[in-house]
């Protein structure tokens, strides 16, 4: 019936076209001003946290191992939305009130840090022990061997799965709309609440997410081909 009304009622079709056209700019603004910056900042912070967590997991210091295990287990064992609500709506009970964007960055960074730490840890452990021994044989310390030999190779191994994490993060940022960040999906909700064309507006938002993720997938494929070329 919805599609039939579009084809049989020119005024209805024209109205939907105008809504779609007028919705595009606010949603693109939400993507450019919040969705993309939120994704990039959260991913960078998350990767830094992931590297530190992965190194703590493989260290010989028992306390660091326990702290890293508890952190990864807690983040992986609770929904991301619940974590965002605790940060944004729960912390004010302790006198800590954060800006919506900062709250979202903290929540997404913690999530990326936990999941990506397992990717990085697995990549480090996949490097043959002979690489460590080669570093030690020429007088390198543990830190030097890790920084100059192991981490560069581990980075090459972990880039494909980390790229998938980045693409997933783009879609996860839609959850930030629930902590009042005016990212792309929040803009779509605001628009749909005024004209009640939920199917049209949300489908348009989904199309924009797909375009962004498609572009990132193409970029991921390019990076993997470059790595294969230099790794061969």
């Amino acid at each position: 019936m919805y599609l039939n009304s579009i084809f049989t009622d020119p005024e209805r079709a024209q109205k939907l076209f105008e809504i779609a056209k007028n919705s595009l700019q606010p949603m693109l603004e939400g993507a450019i001003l919040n969705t993309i910056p939120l994704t990039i900042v959260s991913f960078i912070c998350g990767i830094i946290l992931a590297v530190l967590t992965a190194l703590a997991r493989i260290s010989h210091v028992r306390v660091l191992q326990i702290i890293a295990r508890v952190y990864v287990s807690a983040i992986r064992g609770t929904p991301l939305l619940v974590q965002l609500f605790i940060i944004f709506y729960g912390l004010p009970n302790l006198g800590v009130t954060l800006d919506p964007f900062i709250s979202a960055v903290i929540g997404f960074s913690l999530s990326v840090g936990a999941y990506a730490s397992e990717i990085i840890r697995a990549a480090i452990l996949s490097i043959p022990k002979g690489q460590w021994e080669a570093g030690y044989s020429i007088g390198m310390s543990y830190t030097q061997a890790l920084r100059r030999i192991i981490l560069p190779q581990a980075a090459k191994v972990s880039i494909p799965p980390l790229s998938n994490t980045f693409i997933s993060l783009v879609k996860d940022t839609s959850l930030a709309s629930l902590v009042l960040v005016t990212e792309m999906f929040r803009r779509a909700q605001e628009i749909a609440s005024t004209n009640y064309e939920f199917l049209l507006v949300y489908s348009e938002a989904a199309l924009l997410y797909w375009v962004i993720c498609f572009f990132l997938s193409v970029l991921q494929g390019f990076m993997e081909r470059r790595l294969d070329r230099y790794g061969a």
Side-chain angles (χ1 to χ4, degrees):
M1 179 178 291
Y2 186 85
L3 292 177
N4 187 51
S5 67
I6 296 175
F7 292 113
T8 58
D9 187 348
E11 290 186 3
R12 169 76 172 157
Q14 179 64 27
K15 178 187 175 185
L16 293 178
F17 176 77
E18 290 296 328
I19 291 174
K21 187 176 71 173
N22 295 332
S23 302
L24 184 60
Q25 182 178 345
M27 284 195 279
L28 285 177
E29 287 179 355
I32 294 171
L33 296 179
N34 283 304
T35 298
I36 294 175
L38 178 59
T39 303
I40 294 174
V41 173
S42 299
F43 188 74
I44 292 173
C45 294
I47 290 300
I48 294 172
L49 188 57
V51 172
L52 295 176
T53 304
L55 293 178
R57 288 289 303 273
I58 63 173
S59 74
H60 300 295
V61 181
R62 186 67 177 168
V63 175
L64 292 180
Q65 288 183 6
I66 293 174
I67 293 173
R69 282 179 182 274
V70 171
Y71 158 61
V72 172
S73 177
I75 296 298
R76 294 175 67 182
T78 53
L80 177 55
L81 183 57
V82 174
Q83 297 163 18
L84 289 172
F85 272 41
I86 289 173
I87 294 169
F88 185 70
Y89 295 109
L91 288 183
N93 290 343
L94 300 177
V96 181
T97 302
L98 298 172
D99 177 81
F101 188 88
I102 300 298
S103 299
V105 167
I106 293 173
F108 291 127
S109 298
L110 289 173
S111 177
V112 170
Y115 284 96
S117 69
E118 292 299 286
I119 296 173
I120 294 173
R121 185 175 69 91
I124 292 174
L125 294 178
S126 71
I127 307 302
K129 291 184 178 179
Q131 297 290 315
W132 288 96
E133 294 168 356
Y136 296 146
S137 68
I138 58 175
M140 287 186 178
S141 64
Y142 173 86
T143 304
Q144 289 173 324
L146 178 69
R147 181 165 53 87
R148 297 181 182 178
I149 298 176
I150 304 303
L151 284 183
Q153 297 182 73
K156 188 181 297 182
V157 173
S158 60
I159 279 180
L162 289 179
S163 299
N164 290 330
T165 301
F166 185 75
I167 292 173
S168 296
L169 182 59
V170 173
K171 294 175 287 184
D172 288 342
T173 56
S174 62
L175 294 175
S177 65
L178 297 173
V179 292
L180 309 182
V181 177
T182 52
E183 45 72 61
M184 185 165 66
F185 190 62
R186 177 78 178 182
R187 293 291 180 90
Q189 289 177 309
E190 292 172 350
I191 295 168
S193 66
T194 60
N195 55 38
Y196 301 103
E197 294 293 346
F198 298 102
L199 178 60
L200 174 67
V201 176
Y202 290 158
S203 296
E204 190 175 5
L207 179 63
L208 291 176
Y209 277 112
W210 178 76
V211 170
I212 294 172
C213 291
F214 177 77
F215 173 76
L216 292 174
S217 297
V218 172
L219 183 62
Q220 177 187 4
F222 173 76
M223 290 175 61
E224 290 179 6
R225 286 193 296 274
R226 295 276 294 182
L227 287 173
D228 288 341
R229 182 183 305 173
Y230 290 111

